[in-house]
Amino acid sequence: MMKKIVPLFLAAVSVDASRLRASGVEELGDHIEFFAPDLDVVVQRRIEDVHEISEPKNVKEYRPNPNLIELVGDDLSDSNKADQFDRRETVTCSGNEAKVTVKLTTDAFGYETSYVIKDSNNNAILSMPETGSSFGNKQTYTKNICLEPGQYTLRLKDSGGDGFCSGLGCGSATVRVDGVTMINILNDKSEWKTVDKKFSVVNVGSSSKNSVTGDHGFVSKSCYDTSVYTEIDKYPKETSWKITKKGSSNAIAKMDPILEAYEAKTIDAGCLEPGDYTLTFTDMDGICCKNGEGEFRLIVDGEELLSGGSFMGSISHDFKIGHDWGQGMQSRDWEYLQAHNTRRQDWHTRCNDMYCGKKYRPLKWSDGLAADAKAYAEKLLDSCDDQGIKHEPGIEQGENLAKNKGTGQWGDLYDPDNIVKRFVDNEEFWGWHRNAHLTQALWYSTKYLGCGESVKKMSNGETCRMQVCRYAKAGNCMMGKYSSEEGDNWMKPMMMDDSPCGPVCPPEGCYI
């Protein structure tokens, strides 16, 4: 998918001459690479009503103030209006100031919403919308300002007293300081007239300025309680398993063929110390599916780490105990992870006739997937002049691709949130399989993410940038019987607890 961009001329916006001369292209990877073989037709029509399965009850009427001028933003119901990268307002901060970006998406009653940024002395630094105007409904507004080091408060206001969720969709608010997300309000269904969120701006040059410490809940322990649940098929004497240290054949824990047909049992594997391990299951034709719906699950500290049952002969999975997957992540890594997970939280906790009662399943960062993504992003630079972006052939990992190329801001380093926006937000009202980037990013059984980027200065003065995100498990498999001609039934496989897509684990092995 390619969007060719011509120079922009916007009324009532100050744009410098070099920016008006800039031009470029934005592209996303070809969906078809990951389709099931029987999906050979790309459905072009849009699905306008994916999220409104039934009419909400007790929805208030729209009653704007007729004296207010309604501001125009990015209408989320039309992807052609959803800007890929905010080009309307350029801000260059001087001295020790930092660029602060406030991004607001309104609900169905945008005229009720406003916000103020205050300093530590309670002085208003910025008030939006401007006097005599109001925000539109279900639209996105981005405002950039420069702030000196200090403590600040974002005060959100809703005159209707019902917060961001009106019954016809939820709004959101994000504050970023020099590209680092400080405030992120998403899927907040609480009722409020005002809500305050604090954030800080630190000195330019501070070591903490461009770094992010992720809150991923890691706690170091001397050992981790581990067990294996096994449900046997019709032929119990074929089935056994063992856990070994990675690279060793000596069993730390095991189960011999001792169970009866269709019996289920959980066996304690002990408290395993931090390290790398391998779980190996042996059965002539697996424990699923033609001879009974058997399965296995590896449980570490109460969390399911591995599961399966369909294999031939044997299957082995590497896994890590006590692995701090957030250690060493860079600021942009966290931004990619958060951009995915905020959207996953929104989608996973929605409820319609395709799925309900789901818990939010966040992704974990994988250095192995990130390394693979980085390597392929570098290879893609050889195709900067080509139209379209080709997926790497023969890989099992899920993959989303993006590209921006051109002069001026078209060749700039895009924020990860804007890149993931192109994968998800811009396809929100499309049906399968035009929305294959969205389904991959939100695929419920996916647990691991890694993204990589590359850049190349071209002889014609343009800058070419490639962005690659890799996923395990991969999404978009077993989708052959789904299409946008059947409404939104594609949500069913996307939101299944598990799927047969591979790989189960990232290159370094599974971990909690």
Side-chain angles (χ1 to χ4, degrees), residues 35 48 68 76 78 119 170 304 366 388 512:
F35 289 168
E48 301 289 350
L68 297 179
L76 298 185
D78 185 343
D119 63 15
C170 290
E304 181 180 304
S366 162
I512 58 173

Side-chain angles (χ1 to χ4, degrees), residues 93-99 147-150 178 201-205 209:
C93 299
S94 59
N96 64 346
E97 293 179 328
K99 177 182 174 181
L147 294 180
E148 296 181 345
D178 277 351
V201 175
V202 300
N203 289 315
V204 172
K209 174 82 171 178

Side-chain angles (χ1 to χ4, degrees), residues 309-353:
S310 178
F311 57 90
M312 293 297 293
S314 68
I315 190 170
S316 293
H317 292 296
D318 293 334
F319 65 96
K320 291 178 174 290
I321 294 290
H323 176 56
D324 183 2
W325 55 266
Q327 187 176 19
M329 286 178 65
Q330 302 301 306
S331 175
R332 285 186 69 82
D333 300 338
W334 284 109
E335 292 293 313
Y336 268 114
L337 184 65
Q338 184 179 45
H340 277 81
N341 281 340
T342 53
R343 289 163 173 84
R344 288 173 68 88
Q345 183 177 26
D346 176 26
W347 275 76
H348 293 177
T349 55
R350 295 182 185 186
C351 179
N352 54 48
D353 63 357

Side-chain angles (χ1 to χ4, degrees), residues 379-428:
K379 290 182 181 179
L380 284 173
L381 291 175
D382 293 335
S383 62
C384 278
D385 286 326
D386 297 345
Q387 180 174 326
I389 323 171
K390 297 298 182 183
H391 288 275
E392 184 170 13
I395 62 168
E396 289 188 328
Q397 299 165 359
E399 186 175 71
N400 272 336
L401 307 175
K403 166 186 175 182
N404 61 285
K405 181 185 72 168
T407 58
Q409 289 195 350
W410 299 103
D412 282 354
L413 181 66
Y414 286 13
D415 287 342
D417 189 71
N418 281 311
I419 295 165
V420 180
K421 172 188 173 183
R422 294 164 66 189
F423 294 154
V424 179
D425 303 19
N426 291 3
E427 298 181 5
E428 182 167 353

Side-chain angles (χ1 to χ4, degrees), residues 12-176:
V13 178
S14 175
V15 184
D16 61 41
S18 63
R19 194 172 171 201
L20 289 176
R21 291 193 297 269
S23 63
V25 296
E26 291 172 339
E27 297 176 289
L28 296 183
D30 181 2
H31 301 173
I32 301 298
E33 196 77 30
F34 279 56
F35 289 168
D38 56 333
L39 291 181
D40 56 359
V41 177
V42 178
V43 179
Q44 293 298 330
R45 77 178 184 87
R46 283 184 53 200
I47 301 301
E48 301 289 350
D49 57 351
V50 169
H51 304 300
E52 300 303 331
I53 304 302
S54 59
E55 287 295 323
K57 297 180 180 179
N58 302 321
V59 175
K60 60 188 178 184
E61 294 182 4
Y62 175 67
R63 295 176 181 268
N65 184 338
N67 298 318
L68 297 179
I69 300 173
E70 188 172 290
L71 299 178
V72 177
D74 293 334
D75 187 348
L76 298 185
S77 68
D78 185 343
S79 67
N80 292 324
K81 295 180 183 178
D83 196 3
Q84 315 277 19
F85 185 75
D86 182 29
R87 298 177 176 85
R88 293 168 297 168
E89 184 181 42
T90 299
V91 170
T92 302
C93 299
S94 59
N96 64 346
E97 293 179 328
K99 177 182 174 181
V100 177
T101 302
V102 182
K103 181 179 177 182
L104 174 75
T105 298
T106 59
D107 62 11
F109 299 87
Y111 71 94
E112 296 179 345
T113 306
S114 61
Y115 69 82
V116 179
I117 291 182
K118 296 185 176 184
D119 63 15
S120 57
N121 295 318
N122 208 34
N123 298 316
I125 305 297
L126 172 68
S127 298
M128 291 295 292
E130 296 178 355
T131 302
S133 62
S134 70
F135 290 134
N137 307 326
K138 294 186 177 182
Q139 297 194 27
T140 297
Y141 304 87
T142 302
K143 183 69 176 177
N144 296 309
I145 60 173
C146 296
L147 294 180
E148 296 181 345
Q151 298 294 320
Y152 296 88
T153 300
L154 171 70
R155 170 165 291 182
L156 292 163
K157 302 178 182 180
D158 184 88
S159 61
D162 58 355
F164 266 165
C165 292
S166 64
L168 287 171
C170 290
S172 63
T174 303
V175 174
R176 296 159 66 85

Side-chain angles (χ1 to χ4, degrees), residues 300-314:
V300 177
D301 271 11
E303 182 175 337
E304 181 180 304
L305 181 54
L306 282 167
S307 63
S310 178
F311 57 90
M312 293 297 293
S314 68

